[in-house]
Amino acid sequence: MYQRKKRRPVAEINVVPYIDVMLVLLIIFMATAAVITHGVKVDLPQMEQSELVEATETPPIVVSIDADGNYYASIGIDPEAPMEAVDIAAQVKLALDKDPKTPVMLKGDGKVTYQEVLLLMDFLKKAGVPSVGLMTESFEQ
């Protein structure tokens, strides 16, 4: 009679399914990270009492929205004439092509809706503005 050899149980873990799961999760996280970071980046100015802008050689481009929702820009032919947002974006793009370090400031009336401010900021972002400063008035205490 033959005696059978006893085999020891194999103590190895098959890691291939774990690697597949890890790669799928990596792809999911990469796809959702691109969606989450969508938005308009704004650098809010930090200031003391009346310091609005650092002293630079070039004056800032000031884009304004009045209470009626009309847009104005401190550059162009007539800074006092209302303009379309597309025209403002085109003029800002031209000014930034000449001097990319020109700061861009946004001045909005307190009665303007947040949506209108965001729309103008989106036009400025599409025009290539790297950061937008928001102008405020300081409170006298």
Side-chain angles (χ1 to χ4, degrees), residues 71-83 88 91:
Y71 301 119
Y72 301 91
S74 64
I75 56 175
I77 299 169
D78 185 11
E80 300 295 322
M83 302 172 68
I88 289 178
Q91 287 190 0

Side-chain angles (χ1 to χ4, degrees), residues 63-123:
V63 180
S64 307
I65 306 174
D66 67 2
D68 297 326
N70 298 320
Y71 301 119
Y72 301 91
S74 64
I75 56 175
I77 299 169
D78 185 11
E80 300 295 322
M83 302 172 68
E84 294 293 322
V86 177
D87 297 332
I88 289 178
Q91 287 190 0
V92 168
K93 182 172 179 57
L94 287 174
L96 288 178
D97 287 343
K98 291 178 186 174
D99 186 7
K101 292 186 179 184
T102 304
V104 178
M105 304 295 288
L106 179 62
K107 182 171 76 171
D109 192 283
K111 296 174 184 164
V112 175
T113 63
Y114 188 61
Q115 178 70 29
E116 291 180 46
V117 173
L118 286 181
L119 286 173
L120 184 56
M121 289 174 64
D122 190 42
F123 274 107

Side-chain angles (χ1 to χ4, degrees), residues 8-19:
R8 287 185 171 181
V10 178
E12 294 179 5
I13 298 175
N14 189 3
V15 295
V16 173
Y18 297 117
I19 293 171

